[in-house]
Structure formats: C-alpha cells, structure tokens
Amino acid sequence: MMSIESKLKRKGVNENLEYLHVKKKKASFTWYLFLAPTLLGILLFIAYPVFESVRLSFYSSNGTIENWVGLRNYERIIAGGAFWNSVYNTFYIGFFQLLIAIPLGFVIASMINRIQRFKSFFKVLFFLPNVTSIVAAAMIFAFLLHPELGLLNYLLEMLWLPTSPWLSDPSTSKWGVILLTVWHWVGFVIIICLANLQAISPELYEASEIDGASKLQQWFYITIPNMSGTFAFLIIMGWISGLQRFNEVFVLGGPGGSPNRSLQTMVAYIYERGFGGFEFGIASAATTLLFIIILLFTMLNLKITRLKI
C-alpha cells in the first residue's frame, strides 16, 4: 500500500515539475517575442551597416560599381593631408570644449548647490541650451558671430575691446565653434555635477567645520575629491561625442569646413568624400579609422581616469 502511495506522490511531483518547466519555457518564449523587434532593429540598423562599412572600405565604389583595392583606400587617407587636418580640428575643438565647459559647469553647479531659493529655476535656465536643437543654435550663432553685423562684436566695441572676425578667419573660426559647443553642453555638465554634489554626505562638511575648515578648504579637500568619478564620466562622454562632431560645423562651415577647411571634422570629412565625391570606399575606410580612434582614445581615457564600467 505504501509503495502505491509513494508512486502516486512521485508521479504528482514529476507532473508539477514538468508543468513548471513548460510554463517557464513559454514565459521565456514570450520575452524573446517582445525582444525580437529590438534585436531585429539592432541587426538591421547597427550590425549590418557596420559590417557593410568595413567590407566597403576594401573596395573602390561610387555606389553602383565596386572594384577590390585592398588597403589602398587606407593608404590614400593616411597619406593625404585633408584627413589629418580634420583629425586636428576635431581634437582641437573637443579639447578646449572640455577644458572650458567642465570647470565652468562645476563652478556654476557648486554655486547653485549652495543657494536655498530659486534652485530649480537656475537648473532649468542653464539646462535649456542643452535641449535646444544644435542646428538651430548654430544658425543663431552664425548671426551672433558675424564680423560686421554680429551682436558679439557689437558688445566688444561697446566695451572698447578688440573685435574678431570669428567664423570668417581660419585662425579664429574654431573658437566660434568652441563658444557654441560650450554654451550648448555646459547645462548638461551642471546637472550631472549637481547630482553628485547633492550625494556627498553633509556629515563630511560638518566634521570639517568643527575642525575649523573654511568654505574654500571644504571645496578643495572634500567637494573636488568626491567629484572625481563625475569628472571622469564627463571627460569620456565629452570626448566620444566630440570625436563624432558634425551638425554644428556643417551648419557653420559646410562639408568642406570653410573657411579654408578650418572647421572640417572627421565626420564632415567622411560626409564630404561619401556624399559629395561619391567615394564610398574612401568614406568607409575613414569611418573605420574613426571607430578605431574613438575606441583607442576611450580606452586611454578609461585607463587615465580609472573609471570602472
């Protein structure tokens, strides 16, 4: 009698386990069904274009006819001066954007963090440029930086300061773009810095105040060291976006980066060769080089800043 009962119990347990297994498989299938559109989009619009771009970099192509050339496209790019000029412009604008925007944003964030009233108002005020279309902002800056009719030179004249040709002169055109990028990005820096500032424990400031530390000493020895992770994050994200800069320089200087290619970035160079000259093999090779530069530079930044991902 006991043996029949034990068999029935075992059979019931096995049936329950089988039911749970089937139910788990159905649940997994449902999740994969919901993920299928996203996975399909990644394959079609990210994985395939990357593969096709790398493949096309070994061909001479005008969009219809392809001829195998091996590494000749890469040799032409590396030997030419136009590509290295675009690399220089990209790094120059990106470096000074970060050098100005991160310290400026941190200082403004520290000031906002200390006030008690109108804190939300200042957050919105400084963040508004970041949500403004960069194309619209570039068009406005093109007018503001006009050497004769621009508002900026008019203000400089009122203050008896020397004016600048800005976007009309290759020696100053990059600084016009830097002003635009700093204005557009500093709001993001402020919001990120504020989030970290508000996460620092008030007990650290209270303890230092008891020990006789001034506000300036607290800022240097407590606030800044606790912001290292945020600074590393901003540097890495700033460089990744800076190395892909295109919209603002295209609006201000066109695909050729006028005047005299002083505003042409790497992405603008790729656009000019691909869609301007129909040299899709050259453009694809330049895209691959850009990917390698971004990858190596990001790894270097991670190593220097010691940011864990």
Side-chain angles (χ1 to χ4, degrees), residues 29-40:
F29 176 76
T30 303
W31 278 110
Y32 285 121
L33 190 64
F34 278 104
L35 286 172
T38 301
L39 295 174
L40 186 63

Side-chain angles (χ1 to χ4, degrees), residues 98 102 185 188-189 192-193 230-238:
L98 297 181
I102 293 178
W185 195 57
F188 175 78
V189 176
I192 297 298
C193 288
T230 297
F231 292 150
F233 168 78
L234 290 170
I235 289 171
I236 292 171
M237 295 303 296

